[in-house]
Amino acid sequence: MFSGIVEEAATVVALNKDRGNLHITLQCSFTGELKIDQSVSHNGVCLTVVSIDGDTYTVTAIQETLDRSNLGLLEVGSKVNLERSMPMNGRLDGHIVQGHVDQTAVCGDVEEADGSWYFTFEYAFDREMAKKGYLTVDKGSVTVNGVSLTVVEPTDNSFKVAIIPYTYEFTNFHQIKKGSVVNLEFDIIGKYISRIAALNA
């Protein structure tokens, strides 16, 4: 379980393809605090630490993960948003994030707003999936590349988010531009409400 509050944007230092799997090696400041089998969110995708070597560690993304997320688009030097799992006695500063990416979206526009930025993201709309909670609502929560954000001006297949300077600098949002592919996780509470409503219809 995560909160969507990114700790660091780590650097990809190696990528190794092994049949349908991709082994991703990253360098970050808290590698020394990690343990084998620990869960860490990578651009919003929950992955397990499989090896540690000095200040780098490796995780493995299987084909299902690569098909559903943007991890297959990573290159050496890419920045990846990291968050370790939330302690049960910690504060929930963002919202409830599972680390289970639902689908990808494409950045449609980046607009500077006198010290902050508005990012517009567009995703494939599916009416049946929307009935299950795969949608956004005004002032609701959404996770973009593992970052907990508040939705602005949602449509059937798009939404905006406002990014403050801190988030822009300390996550990989400063690398997102028009055409960039990002990971989305819709709000789990919205999914449960949609499911209950469908069962009671």
Side-chain angles (χ1 to χ4, degrees), residues 5-15 22-31 40-47 57-59 61 65 69-84 101 144-147 167 169-176 181-183:
I5 304 300
V6 170
E7 295 184 63
E8 182 175 331
T11 303
V12 175
V13 295
L15 295 165
L22 180 65
H23 304 295
I24 307 167
T25 301
L26 304 105
Q27 183 178 47
C28 83
S29 64
F30 55 77
T31 299
V40 179
S41 171
H42 298 76
N43 277 357
V45 181
C46 180
L47 297 173
Y57 71 95
T58 301
V59 293
T65 303
S69 73
N70 66 2
L71 296 186
L73 302 177
L74 293 176
E75 300 175 348
V76 171
S78 293
K79 292 291 187 180
V80 177
N81 293 334
L82 300 184
E83 180 190 357
R84 287 172 283 185
V101 167
V144 177
N145 272 1
V147 181
T167 303
E169 181 179 354
F170 288 100
T171 71
N172 61 15
F173 259 90
H174 62 273
Q175 293 185 331
I176 297 174
V181 178
V182 299
N183 294 330

Coordinates of all heavy atoms in Angstrom, one line a residue, residues 5-15 22-31 40-47 57-59 61 65 69-84 101 144-147 167 169-176 181-183:
I5 N 3.0 9.7 -2.5 CA 3.9 10.8 -2.2 C 5.3 10.3 -2.5 O 5.9 9.5 -1.8 CB 3.9 11.2 -0.7 CG1 2.4 11.6 -0.3 CG2 4.8 12.3 -0.4 CD1 1.9 12.8 -1.1
V6 N 5.8 10.7 -3.7 CA 7.1 10.2 -4.2 C 8.3 10.6 -3.3 O 8.3 11.8 -2.9 CB 7.3 10.7 -5.7 CG1 8.7 10.4 -6.2 CG2 6.2 10.1 -6.6
E7 N 9.2 9.7 -3.0 CA 10.3 10.0 -2.2 C 11.5 10.5 -3.1 O 12.3 11.3 -2.6 CB 10.8 8.7 -1.5 CG 9.8 8.2 -0.5 CD 10.4 7.0 0.3 OE1 11.4 7.2 1.0 OE2 9.8 5.9 0.1
E8 N 11.6 10.0 -4.3 CA 12.8 10.3 -5.1 C 12.6 9.9 -6.5 O 11.8 8.9 -6.8 CB 14.0 9.6 -4.5 CG 15.3 9.9 -5.2 CD 16.5 9.2 -4.5 OE1 16.4 9.0 -3.3 OE2 17.5 8.9 -5.2
A9 N 13.2 10.6 -7.4 CA 13.2 10.2 -8.8 C 14.6 9.5 -9.1 O 15.6 10.2 -9.2 CB 13.0 11.4 -9.8
A10 N 14.6 8.2 -9.1 CA 15.8 7.4 -9.3 C 16.2 7.4 -10.7 O 15.4 7.6 -11.6 CB 15.6 6.0 -8.7
T11 N 17.5 7.0 -11.0 CA 18.0 6.9 -12.3 C 18.1 5.4 -12.8 O 18.7 4.6 -12.0 CB 19.4 7.6 -12.4 OG1 19.2 9.0 -12.0 CG2 19.9 7.5 -13.8
V12 N 17.6 5.1 -13.9 CA 17.8 3.8 -14.5 C 19.3 3.6 -15.0 O 19.7 4.5 -15.8 CB 16.9 3.5 -15.7 CG1 17.2 2.2 -16.3 CG2 15.4 3.6 -15.2
V13 N 20.0 2.6 -14.5 CA 21.4 2.5 -14.9 C 21.6 1.2 -15.8 O 22.6 1.1 -16.4 CB 22.3 2.4 -13.7 CG1 22.3 3.7 -12.9 CG2 21.9 1.2 -12.7
A14 N 20.6 0.3 -15.8 CA 20.7 -0.9 -16.7 C 19.4 -1.5 -16.9 O 18.5 -1.4 -16.1 CB 21.7 -1.9 -16.0
L15 N 19.2 -2.0 -18.1 CA 18.0 -2.7 -18.5 C 18.4 -4.0 -19.2 O 19.2 -4.0 -20.1 CB 17.2 -1.9 -19.5 CG 16.6 -0.5 -19.0 CD1 16.1 0.3 -20.1 CD2 15.4 -0.8 -18.0
L22 N 11.6 -7.9 -17.9 CA 12.6 -6.8 -18.0 C 13.1 -6.6 -16.6 O 12.4 -6.2 -15.7 CB 11.9 -5.6 -18.5 CG 12.8 -4.3 -18.7 CD1 13.9 -4.6 -19.7 CD2 12.0 -3.1 -19.0
H23 N 14.4 -6.8 -16.5 CA 15.1 -6.5 -15.2 C 15.6 -5.1 -15.3 O 16.4 -4.7 -16.2 CB 16.3 -7.5 -15.0 CG 15.9 -8.9 -15.1 ND1 15.1 -9.5 -14.2 CD2 16.3 -9.9 -16.0 CE1 14.9 -10.8 -14.5 NE2 15.6 -11.0 -15.6
I24 N 15.2 -4.3 -14.3 CA 15.4 -2.9 -14.3 C 16.3 -2.6 -13.1 O 16.0 -2.9 -11.9 CB 14.1 -2.0 -14.1 CG1 13.1 -2.4 -15.2 CG2 14.4 -0.5 -14.2 CD1 11.7 -1.9 -15.0
T25 N 17.5 -2.0 -13.3 CA 18.5 -1.7 -12.3 C 18.5 -0.2 -12.1 O 18.6 0.6 -13.1 CB 19.9 -2.2 -12.6 OG1 19.8 -3.6 -12.7 CG2 20.8 -1.9 -11.4
L26 N 18.3 0.3 -10.9 CA 18.2 1.7 -10.6 C 19.2 2.1 -9.5 O 19.6 1.3 -8.6 CB 16.8 2.1 -10.1 CG 15.7 1.7 -11.1 CD1 14.9 0.5 -10.5 CD2 14.7 2.9 -11.2
Q27 N 19.6 3.4 -9.5 CA 20.4 4.0 -8.5 C 19.6 5.0 -7.7 O 19.0 5.9 -8.3 CB 21.6 4.6 -9.2 CG 22.7 5.2 -8.2 CD 23.8 5.8 -9.0 OE1 23.7 6.5 -9.9 NE2 25.0 5.4 -8.5
C28 N 19.6 4.9 -6.4 CA 18.9 5.9 -5.6 C 19.6 6.0 -4.3 O 20.4 5.2 -3.8 CB 17.4 5.5 -5.4 SG 17.1 4.3 -4.1
S29 N 19.2 7.1 -3.5 CA 19.9 7.5 -2.3 C 19.6 6.5 -1.1 O 20.4 6.4 -0.2 CB 19.5 8.9 -1.9 OG 18.2 9.0 -1.6
F30 N 18.5 5.8 -1.2 CA 18.1 5.0 -0.1 C 18.3 3.5 -0.3 O 17.7 2.6 0.3 CB 16.7 5.3 0.5 CG 15.6 5.2 -0.5 CD1 15.1 4.0 -1.0 CD2 15.0 6.4 -1.0 CE1 14.0 3.9 -1.9 CE2 14.0 6.3 -2.0 CZ 13.5 5.1 -2.4
T31 N 19.1 3.1 -1.4 CA 19.3 1.7 -1.7 C 19.8 0.9 -0.4 O 19.4 -0.2 -0.2 CB 20.3 1.5 -2.8 OG1 19.8 2.2 -4.0 CG2 20.6 0.1 -3.1
V40 N 8.4 -1.8 -3.7 CA 8.7 -0.4 -4.0 C 7.9 0.0 -5.2 O 7.8 -0.7 -6.2 CB 10.2 -0.1 -4.2 CG1 10.4 1.4 -4.5 CG2 11.0 -0.6 -3.1
S41 N 7.2 1.2 -5.1 CA 6.5 1.7 -6.3 C 7.4 2.4 -7.2 O 8.2 3.2 -6.9 CB 5.4 2.7 -5.8 OG 4.8 3.4 -6.8
H42 N 7.3 2.0 -8.5 CA 8.2 2.6 -9.6 C 7.2 3.2 -10.7 O 6.5 2.4 -11.4 CB 9.0 1.5 -10.3 CG 10.0 0.8 -9.3 ND1 9.6 -0.1 -8.4 CD2 11.3 1.0 -9.2 CE1 10.7 -0.5 -7.7 NE2 11.7 0.2 -8.2
N43 N 7.2 4.5 -10.7 CA 6.2 5.2 -11.6 C 4.8 4.7 -11.3 O 4.0 4.5 -12.2 CB 6.5 5.0 -13.1 CG 7.6 6.0 -13.6 OD1 8.0 6.8 -12.8 ND2 8.0 5.8 -14.8
G44 N 4.5 4.3 -10.1 CA 3.2 3.8 -9.7 C 3.0 2.3 -9.8 O 2.0 1.8 -9.4
V45 N 4.0 1.6 -10.2 CA 4.0 0.1 -10.3 C 4.7 -0.5 -9.1 O 5.9 -0.3 -8.9 CB 4.6 -0.4 -11.6 CG1 4.5 -1.9 -11.8 CG2 4.0 0.3 -12.8
C46 N 4.0 -1.3 -8.4 CA 4.5 -2.0 -7.3 C 5.4 -3.2 -7.8 O 4.9 -4.1 -8.4 CB 3.4 -2.6 -6.4 SG 4.0 -3.5 -4.9
L47 N 6.7 -3.1 -7.5 CA 7.7 -4.2 -7.9 C 8.5 -4.6 -6.7 O 8.7 -3.8 -5.8 CB 8.6 -3.6 -9.0 CG 7.9 -3.2 -10.4 CD1 8.9 -2.6 -11.3 CD2 7.3 -4.4 -11.0
Y57 N 20.0 -1.2 -7.1 CA 19.1 -2.4 -6.9 C 18.4 -2.8 -8.1 O 18.2 -1.9 -9.1 CB 18.2 -2.2 -5.7 CG 17.0 -1.3 -6.0 CD1 15.8 -1.7 -6.4 CD2 17.2 0.1 -5.9 CE1 14.8 -0.9 -6.7 CE2 16.2 1.0 -6.2 CZ 15.0 0.5 -6.6 OH 13.9 1.4 -6.9
T58 N 17.9 -4.0 -8.2 CA 17.2 -4.5 -9.4 C 15.8 -5.0 -9.1 O 15.6 -5.6 -8.0 CB 18.0 -5.6 -10.1 OG1 19.3 -5.1 -10.4 CG2 17.3 -6.1 -11.3
V59 N 14.8 -4.7 -9.9 CA 13.5 -5.2 -9.9 C 13.2 -5.8 -11.2 O 13.8 -5.5 -12.2 CB 12.4 -4.1 -9.5 CG1 12.7 -3.6 -8.1 CG2 12.5 -3.0 -10.5
A61 N 10.1 -6.6 -14.0 CA 8.7 -6.4 -14.5 C 8.4 -7.5 -15.5 O 9.1 -7.7 -16.5 CB 8.6 -5.0 -15.2
T65 N 2.9 -6.5 -16.7 CA 3.3 -5.2 -16.3 C 3.7 -4.3 -17.4 O 3.3 -3.1 -17.5 CB 4.3 -5.3 -15.2 OG1 3.9 -6.1 -14.1 CG2 4.7 -3.9 -14.6
S69 N 1.8 -0.8 -18.5 CA 2.4 0.4 -17.9 C 3.4 1.0 -19.0 O 3.6 0.5 -20.1 CB 3.2 0.1 -16.6 OG 4.3 -0.7 -16.9
N70 N 4.1 2.0 -18.5 CA 5.1 2.7 -19.4 C 6.6 2.1 -19.1 O 7.5 2.7 -19.6 CB 5.1 4.2 -19.3 CG 5.5 4.7 -17.9 OD1 5.8 3.9 -17.0 ND2 5.4 6.0 -17.7
L71 N 6.7 1.1 -18.3 CA 8.0 0.7 -17.9 C 8.8 0.1 -19.1 O 10.0 0.1 -19.1 CB 7.9 -0.4 -16.7 CG 7.4 0.1 -15.4 CD1 7.5 -1.0 -14.3 CD2 8.1 1.4 -15.0
G72 N 8.1 -0.5 -20.0 CA 8.8 -1.0 -21.2 C 9.4 0.1 -22.1 O 10.2 -0.2 -23.0
L73 N 9.0 1.4 -21.8 CA 9.6 2.5 -22.6 C 10.8 3.1 -21.9 O 11.4 4.0 -22.5 CB 8.5 3.6 -22.7 CG 7.2 3.2 -23.4 CD1 6.2 4.3 -23.4 CD2 7.5 2.7 -24.8
L74 N 11.2 2.6 -20.7 CA 12.4 3.1 -20.0 C 13.6 3.0 -20.8 O 13.8 2.0 -21.6 CB 12.5 2.5 -18.7 CG 11.4 2.7 -17.6 CD1 11.7 1.9 -16.4 CD2 11.4 4.2 -17.3
E75 N 14.5 3.9 -20.7 CA 15.9 3.8 -21.2 C 16.9 4.1 -20.1 O 16.6 4.6 -19.1 CB 16.0 4.9 -22.3 CG 15.1 4.8 -23.5 CD 15.2 5.9 -24.5 OE1 15.9 6.9 -24.1 OE2 14.6 5.8 -25.5
V76 N 18.1 3.7 -20.4 CA 19.2 4.0 -19.4 C 19.3 5.5 -19.3 O 19.3 6.2 -20.3 CB 20.5 3.4 -19.8 CG1 21.7 3.9 -18.9 CG2 20.5 1.9 -19.8
G77 N 19.2 6.0 -18.1 CA 19.2 7.5 -17.8 C 17.8 8.0 -17.5 O 17.7 9.1 -17.0
S78 N 16.8 7.2 -17.8 CA 15.4 7.6 -17.4 C 15.3 7.8 -15.9 O 15.9 7.2 -15.1 CB 14.4 6.6 -17.9 OG 14.3 6.5 -19.3
K79 N 14.4 8.8 -15.6 CA 14.1 9.0 -14.2 C 12.8 8.3 -13.8 O 11.8 8.3 -14.6 CB 13.9 10.5 -13.9 CG 15.2 11.3 -14.0 CD 16.2 11.0 -12.9 CE 17.4 11.9 -12.9 NZ 18.3 11.5 -11.8
V80 N 12.8 7.6 -12.7 CA 11.6 6.8 -12.3 C 11.2 7.3 -10.9 O 12.1 7.3 -9.9 CB 12.0 5.3 -12.2 CG1 10.8 4.5 -11.7 CG2 12.4 4.8 -13.6
N81 N 9.9 7.6 -10.7 CA 9.4 8.0 -9.4 C 9.4 6.8 -8.4 O 8.8 5.8 -8.8 CB 8.0 8.6 -9.5 CG 8.1 9.9 -10.3 OD1 9.1 10.6 -10.3 ND2 6.9 10.2 -10.9
L82 N 10.0 6.9 -7.2 CA 10.0 5.9 -6.2 C 9.2 6.2 -5.0 O 9.3 7.4 -4.5 CB 11.4 5.5 -5.8 CG 12.4 5.1 -6.9 CD1 13.8 4.7 -6.2 CD2 11.9 3.9 -7.7
E83 N 8.6 5.2 -4.4 CA 7.9 5.4 -3.1 C 8.0 4.0 -2.4 O 7.5 3.0 -3.0 CB 6.5 5.8 -3.2 CG 5.8 6.0 -1.8 CD 4.3 6.2 -1.9 OE1 3.8 6.3 -3.0 OE2 3.7 6.3 -0.8
R84 N 8.5 3.9 -1.2 CA 8.5 2.7 -0.5 C 7.1 2.6 0.2 O 6.4 3.6 0.3 CB 9.5 2.7 0.6 CG 10.9 2.5 0.1 CD 12.0 2.7 1.2 NE 12.2 4.2 1.4 CZ 13.1 4.6 2.2 NH1 13.9 3.8 2.9 NH2 13.3 6.0 2.4
V101 N -1.2 -0.4 -11.6 CA -1.5 0.5 -12.7 C -2.6 -0.1 -13.5 O -2.6 -1.2 -13.9 CB -0.2 0.7 -13.5 CG1 -0.6 1.4 -14.8 CG2 0.8 1.6 -12.7
V144 N -0.6 9.5 -11.1 CA 0.1 9.6 -12.4 C 1.6 9.3 -12.2 O 2.2 10.1 -11.4 CB -0.1 11.0 -13.0 CG1 0.7 11.1 -14.3 CG2 -1.6 11.3 -13.3
N145 N 2.1 8.3 -12.8 CA 3.5 7.9 -12.5 C 3.8 7.8 -11.0 O 4.9 8.1 -10.6 CB 4.5 8.8 -13.2 CG 4.7 8.4 -14.6 OD1 4.2 7.5 -15.2 ND2 5.6 9.2 -15.3
G146 N 2.8 7.3 -10.3 CA 3.0 7.1 -8.8 C 2.8 8.3 -8.0 O 2.9 8.3 -6.8
V147 N 2.4 9.5 -8.6 CA 2.2 10.7 -7.8 C 0.7 10.9 -7.6 O -0.1 10.9 -8.5 CB 2.7 11.9 -8.6 CG1 2.5 13.2 -7.8 CG2 4.2 11.7 -9.0
T167 N 6.9 19.4 -6.7 CA 6.6 18.1 -7.4 C 7.3 18.1 -8.8 O 7.8 17.1 -9.2 CB 5.1 18.0 -7.6 OG1 4.5 18.0 -6.3 CG2 4.7 16.7 -8.3
E169 N 10.0 19.5 -9.7 CA 11.5 19.3 -9.6 C 11.9 18.0 -9.1 O 12.9 17.4 -9.6 CB 12.1 20.4 -8.7 CG 13.6 20.3 -8.5 CD 14.1 21.4 -7.7 OE1 13.4 22.3 -7.2 OE2 15.4 21.4 -7.4
F170 N 11.2 17.4 -8.1 CA 11.6 16.3 -7.4 C 11.0 15.0 -7.9 O 11.3 13.9 -7.3 CB 11.4 16.4 -5.9 CG 12.4 17.4 -5.3 CD1 12.0 18.7 -5.0 CD2 13.7 17.0 -5.0 CE1 12.9 19.6 -4.4 CE2 14.6 18.0 -4.5 CZ 14.2 19.2 -4.2
T171 N 10.1 15.0 -8.8 CA 9.6 13.8 -9.5 C 10.0 13.9 -11.0 O 10.7 14.8 -11.4 CB 8.1 13.7 -9.4 OG1 7.5 14.7 -10.2 CG2 7.6 13.9 -7.9
N172 N 9.6 12.9 -11.7 CA 9.9 12.9 -13.2 C 9.0 13.8 -14.0 O 9.0 13.7 -15.2 CB 10.1 11.5 -13.8 CG 8.8 10.7 -13.7 OD1 7.7 11.2 -13.5 ND2 9.0 9.4 -13.9
F173 N 8.1 14.6 -13.3 CA 7.2 15.5 -14.1 C 8.0 16.5 -14.9 O 7.5 16.9 -16.0 CB 6.3 16.2 -13.1 CG 4.9 15.6 -13.1 CD1 4.6 14.6 -12.2 CD2 3.9 16.0 -14.0 CE1 3.3 14.0 -12.2 CE2 2.7 15.4 -14.0 CZ 2.4 14.4 -13.1
H174 N 9.2 16.8 -14.5 CA 10.0 17.8 -15.3 C 10.4 17.2 -16.6 O 10.9 17.9 -17.5 CB 11.2 18.3 -14.5 CG 12.2 17.3 -14.1 ND1 12.1 16.5 -13.0 CD2 13.3 16.8 -14.8 CE1 13.1 15.7 -12.9 NE2 13.8 15.8 -14.0
Q175 N 10.3 15.9 -16.8 CA 10.7 15.2 -18.1 C 9.4 14.9 -18.9 O 9.6 14.5 -20.1 CB 11.4 13.9 -17.8 CG 12.8 14.1 -17.2 CD 13.5 12.8 -17.0 OE1 12.9 11.7 -16.9 NE2 14.9 12.9 -17.1
I176 N 8.2 15.1 -18.4 CA 7.0 14.9 -19.1 C 6.7 16.0 -20.1 O 6.7 17.2 -19.6 CB 5.8 14.6 -18.2 CG1 6.1 13.4 -17.3 CG2 4.5 14.4 -19.0 CD1 5.1 13.1 -16.2
V181 N 4.2 9.2 -22.4 CA 3.3 8.2 -21.9 C 3.5 8.0 -20.4 O 4.6 7.9 -19.9 CB 3.6 6.8 -22.6 CG1 2.6 5.7 -22.0 CG2 3.4 6.9 -24.1
V182 N 2.4 8.1 -19.6 CA 2.5 8.0 -18.2 C 1.6 6.8 -17.7 O 0.7 6.4 -18.5 CB 2.0 9.3 -17.5 CG1 3.0 10.4 -17.9 CG2 0.6 9.6 -17.8
N183 N 1.8 6.4 -16.5 CA 1.0 5.4 -15.9 C -0.2 6.0 -15.1 O 0.0 7.0 -14.4 CB 1.8 4.5 -14.9 CG 2.9 3.7 -15.7 OD1 2.7 3.3 -16.8 ND2 4.0 3.4 -15.0

